[in-house]
């Protein structure tokens, strides 16, 4: 299926109004009804994130997803490196949990266990011991499985930020009276995870970096809702400046870092990005690849941070071609980061309009 753009085609001023690459059908996200956080208002977000109504809605999501995707929304592709195995677990309608295994000891950690049954099935199939749950943030579609898994695995501890009301949150062994702090490290077997504070999507959002230097391999970033392939999370609890700073933290990890996002949003995000940058060959090639992957229900992760810088508009706020496409120019005397935050805000605005159509 060709995604090549007809000669002379240009994006409309508002991305939701048309101009898709040839061969790509845009299905409005609101009709899908998969992600409750898309057409969201302040009142609904407060209910979802802060009350039991949010948990009941999450339970309904789980039930419907199990019925619709009994084997998961995507074909899981395990990745094996020296001493490490990473198993993406497709859960709900577009989430990913990740089972990360120290192959030497059989100890394991899981990142964002949305559906405890799916995660437990992977644990049993792999025959490993669950020692840690790393939660990127409090939203139920990332933390809803914590309680059930803690009941099944007595030695398992839950890690996350004190600033988010994460279910079953316990303290790190090295500091029993405080949850994870920025740059704090936790070991699971021979594996070391570093927590990085990345507020914006929520005030306590954290990402986790698996250090693979001892194994001679690049690091792995489990990004939750900070960063997706060609996209980023909505700043529900932060400003564009806050989100930009958090994205810069992630980008400081190095271009060879493998990105493992919290959602399968690649096709939607790449299609949106293609409406902003019409002559980006890296973006066009990635979109063609993603179309093929999703036709076969295959996962699109991981990518690398180096790749993301070539096509992810949320990471290209410094690029003149994106700024020009948005009709934005740095003001006289305007601080560069303030200008980049303004660019980020406009990309976010257009992405939200695109989602809502």
């Amino acid at each position: 299926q060709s995604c090549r753009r007809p000669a002379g085609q240009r994006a409309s001023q508002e991305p939701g109004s048309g101009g898709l690459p040839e061969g790509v059908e845009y299905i409005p996200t609101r009709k899908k009804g998969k992600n409750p956080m898309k057409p969201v208002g302040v009142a609904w977000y407060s209910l979802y994130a802060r009350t039991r109504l949010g948990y009941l809605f999450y339970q309904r999501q789980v039930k419907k997803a199990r019925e619709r995707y009994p084997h998961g929304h995507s074909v899981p592709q395990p990745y094996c490196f020296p001493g490490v195995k990473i198993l993406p677990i497709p859960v709900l309608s577009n989430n990913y949990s990740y089972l990360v295994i120290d192959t030497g000891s059989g100890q394991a950690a899981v990142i964002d266990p949305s559906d405890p049954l799916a995660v437990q099935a992977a644990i049993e199939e792999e025959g490993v011991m669950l020692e840690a749950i790393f939660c990127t943030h409090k939203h139920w579609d990332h933390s809803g499985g914590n309680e059930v898994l803690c009941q099944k695995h007595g030695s398992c501890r839950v890690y996350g930020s004190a600033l988010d009301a994460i279910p079953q949150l316990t303290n790190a062994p090295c500091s029993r009276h405080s949850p994870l702090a920025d740059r704090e490290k936790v070991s699971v077997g021979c594996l070391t995870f570093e927590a990085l504070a990345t507020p914006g999507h929520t005030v306590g959002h954290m990402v986790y970096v698996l250090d693979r230097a001892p194994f001679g391999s690049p690091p792995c970033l489990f990004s939750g809702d900070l960063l997706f392939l060609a996209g980023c999370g909505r700043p529900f609890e932060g400003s564009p400046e806050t989100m930009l700073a958090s994205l810069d933290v992630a980008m400081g990890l190095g271009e060879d870092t493998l990105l493992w996002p919290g959602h399968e949003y690649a096709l939607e995000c790449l299609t949106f990005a293609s409406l902003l940058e019409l002559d980006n060959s890296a973006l066009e090639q990635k979109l063609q690849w993603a179309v093929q992957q999703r036709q076969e229900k295959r996962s699109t992760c991981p990518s690398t941070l180096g790749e993301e810088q070539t096509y992810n508009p949320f990471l290209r706020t410094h690029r003149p071609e994106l700024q020009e496409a948005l009709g934005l120019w740095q003001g006289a005397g305007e601080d560069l980061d303030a200008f980049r935050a303004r660019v980020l805000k406009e990309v976010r605005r257009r992405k939200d309009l695109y989602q809502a159509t």
Side-chain angles (χ1 to χ4, degrees):
Q1 182 175 15
S2 174
C3 298
R4 194 165 187 80
R5 187 176 296 105
Q9 181 175 331
R10 287 292 180 266
S12 60
Q13 186 68 17
E14 297 299 344
S17 61
L20 294 181
E22 181 183 4
V24 175
E25 178 188 6
Y26 173 57
I27 302 173
T29 54
R30 184 168 288 183
K31 285 187 178 180
K32 292 180 187 177
K34 292 181 179 180
N35 184 357
M37 308 312 293
K38 285 183 177 176
V40 70
V42 174
W44 166 238
Y45 177 75
S46 296
L47 289 172
Y48 180 82
R50 299 183 177 94
T51 73
R52 182 164 177 79
L53 286 176
Y55 179 67
L56 295 175
F57 188 89
Y58 151 77
Q59 288 184 312
R60 180 172 175 268
Q61 278 186 292
V62 172
K63 181 176 182 295
K64 291 180 68 175
R66 288 173 181 169
E67 293 171 353
R68 184 173 181 180
Y69 306 108
H71 304 293
H73 58 74
S74 301
V75 179
Q77 174 76 41
Y79 283 76
C80 297
F81 310 100
V84 186
K85 182 176 183 179
I86 298 176
L87 179 62
I89 306 172
V91 289
L92 301 184
S93 295
N94 51 42
N95 284 70
Y96 285 112
S97 301
Y98 295 97
L99 187 64
V100 185
I101 303 168
D102 170 19
T103 55
S105 67
Q107 294 178 294
V110 66
I111 291 89
D112 287 354
S114 307
D115 183 343
L117 292 187
V119 173
Q120 181 61 28
I123 291 169
E124 293 175 2
E125 184 173 345
E126 296 294 327
V128 296
M129 299 170 289
L130 184 65
E131 298 294 330
I133 294 171
F134 293 103
C135 266
T136 59
H137 62 293
K138 63 190 174 187
H139 292 159
W140 291 111
D141 63 323
H142 292 259
S143 64
N146 291 3
E147 183 175 358
V148 171
L149 289 172
C150 284
Q151 290 172 352
K152 287 183 175 292
H153 303 273
S155 64
C156 178
R157 303 179 71 88
V158 178
Y159 299 96
S161 170
L163 299 178
D164 267 15
I166 294 173
Q168 305 298 116
L169 181 63
T170 55
N171 302 327
C174 58
S175 55
R176 291 189 177 275
H177 303 293
S178 63
L180 287 180
D182 184 34
R183 307 283 174 177
E184 190 168 354
K185 296 182 179 181
V186 177
S187 294
V188 177
C190 293
L191 308 180
T192 301
F193 296 84
E194 182 178 14
L196 301 178
T198 52
H201 185 68
T202 66
V203 69
H205 194 286
M206 282 187 151
V207 299
Y208 298 97
V209 181
L210 173 62
D211 180 11
R212 289 170 53 215
F215 306 102
S217 303
C220 289
L221 170 63
F222 298 95
S223 60
D225 281 2
L226 170 69
L227 188 61
F228 311 128
L229 192 154
C232 84
R234 292 178 66 177
F236 290 118
E237 299 179 11
S239 65
E241 291 78 10
T242 301
M243 201 69 174
L244 178 65
S246 293
L247 291 170
D248 284 347
V249 166
M251 295 312 298
L253 295 172
E255 293 187 354
D256 61 345
T257 301
L258 295 177
L259 173 65
W260 303 90
H263 290 270
E264 181 56 72
Y265 289 160
L267 191 53
E268 176 186 311
C269 289
L270 286 164
T271 303
F272 165 75
S274 73
L275 303 178
L276 298 180
E277 293 194 65
L278 300 178
D279 300 315
N280 186 326
S281 59
L283 172 55
E284 186 169 351
Q285 291 172 13
K286 192 69 175 183
L287 177 55
Q288 291 179 17
W289 174 84
V291 168
Q292 184 65 37
Q293 288 291 105
R294 295 314 297 157
Q295 283 179 341
E296 299 172 0
K297 299 298 182 184
R298 294 189 179 277
S299 170
T300 58
C301 56
S303 63
T304 69
L305 294 185
E307 262 192 278
E308 291 296 316
Q309 290 183 75
T310 67
Y311 51 68
N312 188 330
F314 295 96
L315 300 179
R316 293 172 59 79
T317 54
H318 62 294
R319 300 293 300 185
E321 52 267 46
L322 178 62
Q323 297 164 6
E324 183 179 350
L326 297 172
L328 296 176
W329 290 268
Q330 186 174 5
E334 184 178 16
D335 178 77
L336 178 58
D337 283 343
F339 175 54
R340 291 177 60 217
R342 190 156 58 87
V343 174
L344 184 70
K345 182 179 180 180
E346 178 62 13
V347 175
R348 181 74 262 167
R349 185 186 74 85
R350 295 191 181 204
K351 181 64 166 64
D352 292 344
L353 288 173
Y354 173 80
Q355 287 178 326
T357 56

